[in-house]
Amino acid sequence: MRVVIQRAGHASVTINGKCKSAIGKGLLILVGIEDADGPEDIDWLCKKIVNLRIFDDENGVMNKSVLDIDGEILVISQFTLHASTKKGNRPSYIRASKGEIAIPLYERFCQELSTAAGKPIETGEFGADMKVELMNDGPVTICMDTKNKE
């Protein structure tokens, strides 16, 4: 699994002109899933994400997690995180899982992240044409891939 984690002042996702989800201070997480991903990837990512110390403490040092600040989380599926640009100018998405594999993993990721956060999280809609709005705070953007844990 690949994720792009962005520290947000606020973020929202709109589908067909209607706001589906919105958060205040917290994390916007874009997640890409490939066929080789499984429950162990989800477990590792969820623990890492909720404990990442990327929010400022009282001294302006990034020393607090989303749990510490009681922040909100918005998760958006994004197959383009697995784009290959090795050949030509048109990206290939061959590594991105199709819906029958990706949807159950995406849903499990969202459930486990909600459990790890101790509260409901917001989501987009898998496969939908989404308009994502973000006020990146910092900016702080972290990329993680479960295939590069070590």
Side-chain angles (χ1 to χ4, degrees), residues 1-15:
M1 293 180 91
R2 284 189 182 157
V3 294
V4 174
I5 302 161
Q6 297 177 299
R7 188 173 77 179
H10 60 81
S12 64
V13 59
T14 301
I15 303 170

Side-chain angles (χ1 to χ4, degrees), residues 34-87:
E34 63 180 315
D35 290 353
D37 293 331
E40 64 284 345
D41 297 295
I42 293 170
D43 294 341
W44 184 81
L45 268 178
C46 289
K47 288 175 187 157
K48 267 308 223 195
I49 289 169
V50 297
N51 290 298
L52 274 178
R53 297 184 332 185
I54 59 173
F55 292 91
D56 292 348
D57 64 15
E58 51 284 342
N59 298 314
V61 177
M62 284 195 280
N63 206 23
K64 291 189 173 193
S65 71
V66 70
L67 296 175
D68 296 330
I69 66 151
D70 194 29
E72 298 176 284
I73 299 174
L74 172 58
V75 176
I76 305 292
S77 62
Q78 189 168 352
F79 73 93
T80 61
L81 292 180
H82 285 292
S84 173
T85 56
K86 290 182 181 177
K87 291 183 181 179

Side-chain angles (χ1 to χ4, degrees), residues 120-140:
I121 63 165
E122 299 295 326
T123 64
E125 182 180 312
F126 191 94
D129 181 15
M130 297 176 275
K131 307 301 180 213
V132 179
E133 192 170 318
L134 162 73
M135 183 183 74
N136 192 321
D137 180 17
V140 175

